Amino acid sequence: MLNVPTLWMVFVVNFSALGLTWAYVTYSYPRFEAARFWMASAFVGAAGAMTALVRLFVDSPLPLLLGAAGIITASCLTAVGIHRFYDRPVPWRAMAAAGIVSLAGVVFFKVAYDHMQLRMIAYTLGQAVPLLLALRLLLSPQEGRVSPGAWLSSIVIITIIAIFVARAVGNLLGGDFSSVAGGQAHAVMVLGLLFLSMTLNFGFLLMAMDRLRNEVADLALLDDLTGVANRRHLLQRLSEECARSERSGEPFSLLVIDLDGFKTINDTHGHAAGDACLQHFTLMAQTRLRPGDMLARTGGDEFCVVLPSSSMREGALIARRVLEVCRRDAAGCSGNDIPIAISIGVAEWDRGVGQFPDRLIAHADHALYAAKKNGKNDFAVYDPAPPLAPEPVEAARKFA
């Protein structure tokens, strides 16, 4: 036989432990806003359960009503945490309306007109509506996929709502699944909700771990200074594009960009000024790239741009656009402003490159060398054709 008071005490202890867990997460990751709401939900739920338990020793409806208010508030806080986890606006009005109407119904059908079935329906709405409002976020793919933690949380919430509905229907059909009755049916439901509530919080922890893992993975692929892709990310993307082009035969292009005289800028103005120049160039270049193009910093003052599904001519047009925006910016410099000049090499994938990105990078480097040899602050394209005259071999020619 399940003892209802004992189950409610277990409920209080477990929710207090969950609250402490979320408190530690909040302390360790102060920017993780959702953890604060999930912590509050656990503590408020524990307080509500403890207050409701007092009704066994106090002949008054007040503990029952305060306990119901605590459980409804805990459900709302749980839903708010889900919305904040996904950085979505919280439907405060809908949640507040559901909570107020629910609690008003519980009070009315306990104090003014004692009707257990209608009271349980009102109580159920206050618990279920906030969770339903948040459920769609858990089921919506984020960045093209639904995380395992979100799937687990969704399944648990759907199961909890199903139990709420079964409890309300059971009461309407003549059963008594309320806490006042304290029967075995109520004890089984409390045990089930206890297990599901703990599982729901584990789902939230999995969501947090998945978010943290993705952030760490993103940091491993981003340049700290400029925020664009780093060399590792560039090589991954080039390998993907090479494999795609070898399958389809469709070419793509690569730009290799070098800031002219960058060492002089560092030596004359200091490394802080050099870093500012790199950041400023990044912003300028991004304004001239298309959606889907990838800008990467490969080290020092060197950058690359991957141009998917682009021919050599299209790559040259993008190079010209990036060069022109830098020239216009340099022409407008005055006083202590530092003009930025760049050289660009353009290369196109071909069958000779195959699935070896380093070959394509070498081709673009040859073109970059030609652009610098021609006076810098310009661009050149890679030309694999040998020169007709017996002169020093140049792997690139100026693009007209």
Side-chain angles (χ1 to χ4, degrees):
M1 297 289 287
L2 296 173
N3 184 274
V4 174
T6 302
L7 287 175
W8 276 98
M9 281 303 303
V10 173
F11 194 96
V12 171
V13 171
N14 277 276
F15 263 65
S16 299
L18 290 171
L20 291 174
T21 301
W22 285 118
Y24 180 77
V25 173
T26 301
Y27 175 79
S28 302
Y29 304 96
R31 297 181 60 185
F32 186 25
E33 186 181 4
R36 295 199 290 269
F37 291 101
W38 291 332
M39 173 188 67
S41 173
F43 283 135
V44 171
M50 178 63 76
T51 304
L53 195 59
V54 174
R55 66 175 174 77
L56 297 176
F57 311 100
V58 178
D59 186 17
S60 170
L62 188 59
L64 184 66
L65 298 177
L66 291 177
I71 299 298
I72 291 172
T73 303
S75 180
C76 290
L77 290 171
T78 297
V80 171
I82 295 173
H83 281 85
R84 298 314 304 146
F85 179 84
Y86 291 109
D87 295 321
R88 300 295 179 84
V90 179
W92 293 109
R93 291 183 179 179
M95 287 191 183
I100 292 172
V101 170
S102 173
L103 190 57
V106 171
V107 173
F108 180 81
F109 292 117
K110 178 62 179 176
V111 178
Y113 176 63
D114 193 359
H115 195 291
M116 184 272 295
Q117 289 82 359
L118 295 180
R119 183 172 69 247
M120 291 302 296
I121 290 176
Y123 181 51
T124 297
L125 288 175
Q127 292 177 284
V129 169
L131 296 177
L132 280 173
L133 292 174
L135 182 60
R136 59 183 181 85
L137 293 178
L138 294 172
L139 294 174
S140 301
Q142 305 295 322
E143 300 180 354
R145 69 184 187 91
V146 177
S147 72
W151 270 117
L152 176 60
S153 300
S154 302
I155 294 170
V156 171
I157 287 178
I158 291 172
T159 307
I160 289 175
I161 293 174
I163 291 177
F164 289 161
V165 172
R167 181 181 62 187
V169 172
N171 286 323
L172 288 175
L173 294 178
D176 192 346
F177 297 91
S178 67
S179 59
V180 175
Q184 286 300 293
H186 175 71
V188 170
M189 284 193 173
V190 171
L191 183 62
L193 290 173
L194 172 63
F195 170 77
L196 290 171
S197 298
M198 293 176 58
T199 307
L200 179 61
N201 280 270
F202 290 145
F204 292 158
L205 285 171
L206 285 175
M207 289 164 56
M209 291 170 60
D210 191 58
R211 169 75 62 84
L212 182 61
R213 183 188 63 188
N214 290 338
E215 289 178 354
V216 171
D218 289 341
L219 288 175
L221 298 176
L222 296 179
D223 176 60
D224 291 338
L225 178 64
T226 60
V228 299
N230 59 16
R231 184 175 183 83
R232 176 185 297 180
H233 196 182
L234 171 72
L235 293 177
Q236 289 182 3
R237 179 67 180 273
L238 284 177
S239 297
E240 294 170 0
E241 293 294 336
C242 285
R244 185 180 296 111
S245 292
E246 193 161 44
R247 290 194 304 268
S248 65
E250 183 181 32
F252 73 96
S253 296
L254 176 70
L255 309 184
V256 173
I257 305 173
D258 188 77
L259 272 63
D260 297 329
F262 185 70
K263 184 178 184 302
T264 302
I265 293 175
N266 276 335
D267 293 343
T268 305
H269 302 279
H271 288 280
D275 290 346
C277 287
L278 294 173
Q279 293 169 332
H280 185 53
F281 165 74
T282 299
L283 295 175
M284 289 192 295
Q286 288 176 321
T287 64
R288 294 299 181 265
L289 300 181
R290 308 161 303 180
D293 296 342
M294 189 184 81
L295 175 64
R297 182 186 176 207
T298 55
D301 60 336
E302 299 174 354
F303 293 82
C304 287
V305 181
V306 181
L307 304 172
S309 304
S310 300
S311 64
M312 181 80 82
R313 177 170 292 277
E314 292 170 323
L317 291 175
I318 298 295
R320 187 187 297 278
R321 290 167 58 182
V322 174
L323 186 65
E324 287 176 350
V325 72
C326 291
R327 286 174 175 174
R328 285 199 299 269
D329 183 78
C333 289
S334 61
N336 295 325
D337 295 337
I338 303 175
I340 296 175
I342 61 173
S343 297
I344 307 177
V346 186
E348 179 187 81
W349 179 92
D350 56 30
R351 292 292 181 183
V353 171
Q355 296 193 32
F356 300 96
D358 54 329
R359 296 179 182 175
L360 183 61
I361 295 174
H363 292 174
D365 277 335
H366 279 297
L368 175 66
Y369 173 76
K372 285 187 173 293
K373 189 175 181 180
N374 289 332
K376 301 183 179 180
N377 199 22
D378 208 341
F379 76 95
V381 299
Y382 175 74
D383 185 2
L388 297 177
E391 56 185 7
V393 177
E394 293 183 2
R397 62 179 174 79
K398 186 74 178 295
F399 185 85

